[in-house]
Amino acid sequence: MSIRRTGALFLSTARGIFDLFDLIVQQASTGIASAPSGYPVGTGYRIPALPLRLSIGGKRQRRDHSSHHHHHLPYLPSQQPHFRSYVHILRSYLVYSACSIPPLIDNAPGLLHFFTHSPIPGLKGLTEAIVRRTFFAQFVPGENVGECTPKMEELRERNIGAVLNYSAEAECETKDDARRLQQARLKEVYRALEGAGEFEDRVAAKGGLRGSTAFALKVTGLIDPDILARASTTILRLRPLTHSNAPSSPFSAPLPPVPYPGTPSDVDSRVVAHPKGDDGRVLLALKGTVEGDMEELRRLWGDLRDLGSFAKRKGVKLMIDAEHTWYQPALDAYTLLLSQEFNRPPRKSLGGVSSEWNGPLIFGTYQSYLTRQPQHLLAAIRHAESDGYALGVKLVRGAYF
């Protein structure tokens, strides 16, 4: 079995660091960490505008059907320290120690290729077994929803939510294989959302609250990435031509200006969700997109809307991953369209009481290491406030942290 398998499903929860720290806390300290005041914690707790909470220790919440008040009970480990916990600590120490050796990290791809392609009998199997039981086991609890579910249940018991991540990265593919692979990836996304929804159903059946499971979507796995790059070029050339000088206009330029690759605008939908029947000659004149791109972009928009509807039915948050900056304007445009459609709070009923709402469904990824980040996030907040939808923010340092 290949160690690096495209399409592996993994939990993006900074698992190793928190596992190591949590085990140390549980086994070496009697202190119990408390949640911030005002935030209920426990299985499926809620934090405004965020679907997840990472906490060490904390308190466990039980649903009391006889009272409107929450009764917080101390969180206690379900089991005493055992040998397996110490093995995890040792594994974490070895893995992170190895990751701190620059020559080893720099030469890791070459070393791995050498050992897995060696003519020595059994060396490939031995290498894969070692890597799977060390680095792979440290960061990747499974390659499908079924394999990830036990870890999700374990994390939920410790008041930690999970994000399923389908690592269908952009690849160099022939045109004959591209559509087949895109459809296979789309089906895998649906299977993952189905599994995540079933997990949330089980949590609710046990008396927990729904809404702490999310799915991170890589859009480049569902379309030819070159089309997204060309669409992004068209978007960047179209925005200056359509910006209005009137501050109240929905097409007004953001103030202060947002550095490259900019921030999404309502006009971007003319590129990524181009109306059917329009030949798009005006957009083609901008020398970005080419013949056939508009149809593919429109198909992708239909797929994303269907995914959003399915995720909503299953009660699973949908996070749009950030990718290379030359794809980002198109990805931002799709995130904006999805947010406008799925992140609007329900209208109040005739009695003046709004129906149950679990916050935004769609989350955009905001990368703090980009120079555009402060102005980009500010512009996104202003747009959400003026347009009446909730802004879902997945704030990361770089690509994964």
Side-chain angles (χ1 to χ4, degrees):
M1 184 184 300
S2 173
I3 293 176
R4 185 177 181 181
R5 176 181 298 178
T6 300
L9 210 60
F10 62 93
L11 296 175
S12 131
T13 58
R15 174 189 171 195
I17 297 174
F18 285 101
D19 270 359
L20 177 60
F21 184 67
D22 196 26
L23 289 170
I24 293 173
V25 169
Q26 291 182 18
Q27 298 177 22
S29 172
T30 58
I32 297 177
S34 298
S37 176
Y39 291 134
V41 297
T43 304
Y45 39 78
R46 298 280 186 260
I47 293 181
L50 289 176
L52 308 178
R53 179 180 173 84
L54 297 181
S55 62
I56 303 302
K59 300 179 180 180
R60 177 173 296 170
Q61 172 186 313
R62 291 181 180 176
R63 181 176 290 178
D64 187 350
H65 296 283
S66 63
S67 172
H68 295 290
H69 301 285
H70 295 293
H71 298 273
H72 299 294
L73 300 177
Y75 171 86
L76 296 175
S78 58
Q79 298 179 356
Q80 294 297 321
H82 48 80
F83 178 75
R84 183 168 174 263
S85 298
Y86 293 109
V87 171
H88 286 173
I89 293 177
L90 179 60
R91 184 189 67 199
S92 297
Y93 175 78
L94 293 175
V95 168
Y96 286 112
S97 295
C99 290
S100 66
I101 304 174
L104 178 61
I105 298 302
D106 293 341
N107 295 288
L111 290 172
L112 189 61
H113 183 272
F114 171 78
F115 286 119
T116 56
H117 291 78
S118 173
I120 301 176
L123 185 58
K124 176 182 178 181
L126 177 62
T127 301
E128 291 188 349
I130 292 174
V131 173
R132 281 193 173 276
R133 285 164 176 75
T134 53
F135 293 92
F136 195 88
Q138 184 69 29
F139 300 108
V140 185
E143 296 184 60
N144 53 56
V145 180
E147 292 179 5
C148 290
T149 298
K151 176 54 64 175
M152 294 168 65
E153 293 173 344
E154 177 187 330
L155 291 173
R156 184 63 69 91
E157 286 295 320
R158 293 160 54 196
N159 301 333
I160 302 176
V163 180
L164 285 168
N165 195 322
Y166 178 45
S167 59
E169 301 275 0
E171 298 178 353
C172 295
E173 303 159 350
T174 64
K175 290 184 178 181
D176 294 337
D177 293 337
R179 180 56 62 85
R180 177 181 58 82
L181 289 174
Q182 290 162 12
Q183 291 300 315
R185 290 166 178 167
L186 185 61
K187 291 179 180 179
E188 186 63 34
V189 171
Y190 275 107
R191 281 194 290 268
L193 290 173
E194 180 76 34
E198 292 174 354
F199 172 75
E200 286 292 308
D201 291 340
R202 291 194 297 272
V203 169
K206 295 177 181 178
L209 299 177
R210 301 177 62 94
S212 291
T213 302
F215 181 85
L217 178 66
K218 287 191 176 296
V219 178
T220 52
L222 305 179
I223 190 175
D224 181 357
D226 290 337
I227 296 178
L228 290 177
R230 292 194 292 267
S232 296
T233 299
T234 300
I235 288 172
L236 293 178
R237 292 174 179 174
L238 179 65
R239 286 174 185 168
L241 301 178
T242 56
H243 280 158
S244 170
N245 293 326
S248 60
S249 170
F251 301 113
S252 60
L255 293 175
V258 180
Y260 176 85
T263 195
S265 169
D266 290 319
V267 74
D268 298 351
S269 63
R270 295 176 56 181
V271 178
V272 298
H274 194 69
K276 193 172 183 179
D278 189 332
D279 58 11
R281 293 189 180 276
V282 174
L283 299 177
L284 292 174
L286 296 176
K287 305 298 183 181
T289 53
V290 299
E291 292 287 347
D293 284 356
M294 293 303 171
E295 182 179 351
E296 287 296 303
L297 292 167
R298 188 164 49 245
R299 177 193 61 78
L300 176 61
W301 169 232
D303 289 341
L304 293 176
R305 289 184 69 185
D306 292 342
L307 282 174
S309 298
F310 189 77
K312 183 178 180 179
R313 292 197 301 272
K314 295 299 177 180
V316 179
K317 309 290 186 182
L318 196 59
M319 296 180 171
I320 309 301
D321 268 358
E323 304 191 48
H324 294 303
T325 52
W326 48 90
Y327 306 143
Q328 202 57 48
L331 299 180
D332 288 341
Y334 282 124
T335 303
L336 176 60
L337 286 173
L338 289 169
S339 299
Q340 289 175 315
E341 179 157 347
F342 294 104
N343 286 4
R344 297 188 185 277
R347 294 182 179 181
K348 292 184 178 181
S349 63
L350 295 178
V353 180
S354 60
S355 58
E356 183 180 355
W357 190 57
N358 292 328
L361 178 79
I362 306 299
F363 284 72
T365 301
Y366 295 80
Q367 296 174 291
S368 300
Y369 77 142
L370 295 181
T371 56
R372 75 162 181 167
Q373 174 64 6
Q375 296 93 329
H376 172 46
L377 183 56
L378 180 60
I381 293 173
R382 288 174 175 171
H383 190 281
E385 289 177 341
S386 63
D387 203 41
Y389 63 91
L391 181 66
V393 176
K394 173 189 170 188
L395 186 64
V396 299
R397 183 187 71 184
Y400 297 106
F401 294 97

